[in-house]
Amino acid sequence: MVDTRKKCPEQLRSARWFAPDDLRSFGHRSRMMQLGYAEEEFMGKPIIGVLNTWSELNSCHGHFPERARDVKRGVLQAGGFPVELPALSVDESFLKPTSMLYRNLLAMEAEEMIRAHPLDGVVLMGGCDKTTPGLVMGALTAGVPMIFLPAGPMLRGHYAGRVLGSGSDAWKYWDERRAGKVTDEEWLGIQGGIARSVGTCMTMGTASTMTAITEAMGLSLPGASSIPAADSGHRRMASACGRRIVGMVWEDLTPDRIVTDAAVRNAAIVAMATGCSTNAVVHLIAMARRAGVGLTLDDLDALGRSTPLIANLRPSGRDYLMEDFFYAGGLRALMKRLEDRLDTSVITVTGRTLGEGLEGAEVWNDDVIRPLSNPVYHEGSLAVLRGNLCPDGAVIKPAACDPKYHVHEGPVLVFDSYPEMKAAIEDETLEVTPEHVLVLRNAGPQGGPGMPEWGMLPLPKRLVKEGLRDMLRISDARMSGTSYGACVLHVAPESFVGGPLALLRSGDIVRLDLPSRRLDMLVEAAEIARRRAAWRAPEPRYRRGYGYMFQRHVGQANEGCDFDYLARSFGPAAGEPDIH
């Protein structure tokens, strides 16, 4: 084999802690011996941090204790020394008011943990929605060699002979239950069958979207994001991550060489072709900007217009789930179909080009991964809207909603809080028609707080009983990547800071024109100005603690919702820590 090393042991970052013949390094070596390690186990070897986002409340990462052992096995095989460090387990299901409130906290923790410890490289173990961008954002800023290990999707759900998709079928059958068509026994069966193994949601929700984006960006091993969590191949991939990160340390293959403008563009194209979650917009912009790539909403919209959706995966597709995607060839096969649209000269964590990583990839089911000539939808997954209601942008998922709402004009019903909205839509005397537009505000980054996934507003109960299954909804919130429907999201600026959504009143007419990418309230400019003059800012959500810091520094959705002081433009990253 060709020796690709660019470093010798004396040049390892960890050598600053252990190599000098001084009192401080004596203390470091002594404490390693206290842990039971002899000098020959760690001296002169790459020390690899295994950042593990496992917790007993994170069902998506239930297999991570075992996978951490697999990673360590690989590190040891390659001549490195693994150390496992716990990282904030930003769980999507149980963390309230929303996991998005804590994405940046995970990013800060990852960055500081990497910088402050004697780590030469890191394996990032994530997958549940916000763990992927949070870990990657922090590691990009820290700058040491890194590789991302995706949790992998769970197995497809089953109940009573039906295949169930996590999230997507929860919304579907909840509406059927509200309409009186699902019994208690059936509801319990669906509850137990919809998530039946470890791993992330097996629809193309936010988790699978973000792990696909990370792989397409070059930060995971080829094919890693598609492997189901319960598959034995997932264990082999984990140990391969451990072996490869040791090589990356010796090669000095740092993330700034991988995450380039071209790599980010590749990731955005792949996202559009997969039917990605709307949350991809917020996270991809934040990740790109941590790498110094100025990705914008307009960039994403342009790629969405020109990239066909070819992954027939729910909720944008009709029939298949992530397990089917894996059997059909996975992300490598999809990227092979997009090869002419990608910059295949970019370097990945393998040390080779993206093109080399796609060699030999094949599609095994043309209905799961469609040819470019027969897409699921002629454009990509997302569209960006502008207009007097969203001057800084809003997002919609055209392929996942009823086409009749692509152009729609109707009166609005405005709700200032989720409880107010929930009470109203359950009231069967509510005066509402299918032509109405439901609006939820005060649900953005500051208003939520944390921009919760409330944007898929439930439909009015009376209309659900009458058979309605979609209507136009608008909010400054996000929605689950497993969701679907005519939902306009991420309205920016948000209403809580005085965005135009704050000026909307029930009965106003709103017009959506998706082909023209417009969203407007049809209200006279003078009337909007009068409402603007009368508007008063609401009271802050927090008076102390992390929430107080969050609301003072979080950016808007079109900026990726990162903290202003973590942006590269704010100032240079901290250097190496002093060791005295």
Side-chain angles (χ1 to χ4, degrees):
M1 293 180 61
V2 177
D3 191 348
T4 57
R5 296 189 182 191
K6 295 183 178 179
K7 283 185 173 181
C8 59
E10 294 77 17
Q11 295 172 311
L12 290 172
R13 182 174 180 269
S14 58
R16 296 184 61 234
W17 276 260
F18 298 113
D21 184 12
D22 60 18
L23 181 59
R24 185 59 63 199
S25 295
F26 161 82
H28 297 153
R29 295 189 297 269
S30 173
R31 294 304 182 183
M32 291 295 281
M33 295 180 77
Q34 180 187 10
L35 289 167
Y37 301 115
E39 280 196 357
E40 54 265 33
E41 293 185 75
F42 63 90
M43 289 289 288
K45 295 182 178 181
I47 295 184
I48 304 301
V50 183
L51 272 60
N52 188 350
T53 53
W54 172 85
S55 88
E56 289 188 343
L57 281 176
N58 193 331
S59 55
C60 300
H61 297 176
H63 53 315
F64 271 11
E66 181 183 47
R67 293 300 177 272
R69 292 191 290 272
D70 295 328
V71 172
K72 294 176 190 177
R73 171 164 52 93
V75 171
L76 291 169
Q77 288 171 347
F81 182 79
V83 290
E84 184 177 350
L85 296 95
L88 188 64
S89 187
V90 186
D91 169 65
E92 194 65 29
S93 298
F94 296 109
L95 205 56
K96 304 300 179 186
T98 169
S99 61
M100 185 63 184
L101 188 63
Y102 302 101
R103 183 201 68 181
N104 293 348
L105 185 60
L106 173 59
M108 293 170 66
E109 181 190 38
E111 177 183 344
E112 298 306 325
M113 196 174 351
I114 293 168
R115 180 179 292 115
H117 285 93
L119 306 179
D120 297 298
V122 290
V123 176
L124 310 173
M125 298 181 61
C128 189
D129 297 13
K130 314 308 179 294
T131 59
T132 301
L135 287 169
V136 170
M137 288 161 66
L140 284 172
T141 308
V144 304
M146 56 165 283
I147 191 167
F148 183 79
L149 190 165
M154 67 178 86
L155 300 177
R156 63 171 77 91
H158 279 281
Y159 170 69
R162 286 169 277 174
V163 174
L164 299 177
S166 48
S168 300
D169 276 322
W171 322 128
K172 172 184 172 182
Y173 287 109
W174 174 240
D175 275 344
E176 297 304 312
R177 182 168 171 78
R178 292 174 69 218
K181 298 180 179 180
V182 172
T183 67
D184 289 348
E185 181 181 357
E186 289 171 326
W187 188 238
L188 182 62
I190 293 167
Q191 181 177 294
I194 202 166
R196 61 189 187 89
S197 79
V198 295
T200 60
C201 291
M202 84 302 267
T203 46
M204 183 49 79
T206 303
S208 288
T209 290
M210 295 314 303
T211 57
I213 281 174
T214 302
E215 180 180 333
M217 202 179 284
L219 295 175
S220 293
L221 293 177
S225 66
S226 308
I227 306 172
D231 193 289
S232 63
H234 200 270
R235 293 192 64 186
R236 295 191 293 273
M237 179 270 293
S239 63
C241 287
R243 291 189 294 273
R244 179 58 199 146
I245 190 62
V246 174
M248 291 176 69
V249 170
W250 290 125
E251 296 162 19
D252 199 24
L253 182 52
T254 49
D256 58 309
R257 294 175 55 196
I258 297 171
V259 186
T260 61
D261 287 69
V264 169
R265 186 176 186 276
N266 285 346
I269 290 171
V270 169
M272 294 298 174
T274 61
C276 65
S277 163
T278 49
N279 291 311
V281 173
V282 175
H283 299 316
L284 184 53
I285 287 175
M287 291 162 65
R289 293 186 178 187
R290 286 294 188 101
V293 178
L295 187 69
T296 68
L297 283 180
D298 291 336
D299 295 331
L300 293 171
D301 187 60
L303 292 173
R305 288 176 181 267
S306 60
T307 306
L309 195 167
I310 61 172
N312 188 14
L313 302 173
R314 298 177 63 192
S316 291
R318 299 181 60 181
D319 303 310
Y320 299 105
L321 299 170
M322 288 300 297
E323 191 176 345
D324 305 299
F325 184 63
F326 174 62
Y327 300 144
L331 195 71
R332 288 180 67 240
L334 180 138
M335 292 175 72
K336 187 70 174 178
R337 289 234 151 126
L338 297 170
E339 193 168 23
D340 291 343
R341 297 166 181 256
L342 304 176
D343 184 339
T344 57
S345 68
V346 296
I347 299 297
T348 75
V349 292
T350 64
R352 303 190 304 159
T353 67
L354 175 64
E356 290 175 296
L358 298 180
E359 289 177 1
E362 294 186 50
V363 174
W364 302 110
N365 186 327
D366 278 332
D367 195 38
V368 177
I369 304 174
R370 298 281 187 85
L372 294 174
S373 60
N374 181 33
V376 176
Y377 189 70
H378 62 283
E379 293 185 357
S381 178
L382 307 177
V384 175
L385 308 172
R386 303 278 184 178
N388 69 358
L389 199 53
C390 53
D392 291 341
V395 176
I396 189 171
K397 201 170 184 177
C401 72
D402 190 325
K404 72 181 181 182
Y405 292 109
H406 288 185
V407 177
H408 182 79
E409 187 174 303
V412 298
L413 281 176
V414 179
F415 305 104
D416 287 318
S417 71
Y418 198 92
E420 178 192 353
M421 178 274 300
K422 187 175 180 181
I425 61 101
E426 291 297 324
D427 181 359
E428 296 188 42
T429 67
L430 179 68
E431 294 185 8
V432 61
T433 71
E435 300 307 307
H436 272 86
V437 179
L438 303 182
V439 175
L440 176 66
R441 58 190 176 199
N442 298 319
Q446 292 191 35
M451 207 179 173
E453 292 184 340
W454 295 344
M456 187 188 173
L457 278 62
L459 304 179
K461 188 172 184 177
R462 175 174 57 80
L463 298 183
V464 170
K465 286 186 173 181
E466 293 172 2
L468 185 74
R469 292 298 180 266
D470 200 3
M471 64 189 298
L472 185 58
R473 289 154 280 179
I474 300 172
S475 74
D476 44 16
R478 298 176 300 111
M479 77 175 182
S480 167
T482 65
S483 301
Y484 51 87
C487 301
V488 176
L489 310 158
H490 309 186
V491 170
E494 63 174 305
S495 57
F496 198 81
V497 301
L501 199 65
L503 311 180
L504 201 60
R505 294 180 181 174
S506 290
D508 289 344
I509 303 299
V510 163
R511 178 175 173 78
L512 169 64
D513 185 345
L514 182 58
S516 299
R517 298 297 199 266
R518 294 289 304 182
L519 179 67
D520 295 286
M521 55 175 168
L522 305 186
V523 178
E524 294 293 335
E527 174 60 20
I528 293 175
R530 280 192 292 271
R531 296 179 188 180
R532 165 68 60 202
W535 181 80
R536 297 293 179 267
E539 290 293 312
R541 298 292 197 193
Y542 294 99
R543 297 293 186 179
R544 63 169 299 281
Y546 172 72
Y548 177 80
M549 181 180 75
F550 181 94
Q551 69 187 10
R552 288 173 66 90
H553 296 286
V554 70
Q556 289 294 294
N558 60 299
E559 302 167 324
C561 295
D562 204 355
F563 291 156
D564 52 10
Y565 59 81
L566 296 179
R568 283 175 65 118
S569 59
F570 191 84
E576 290 290 347
D578 293 332
I579 302 177
H580 299 301

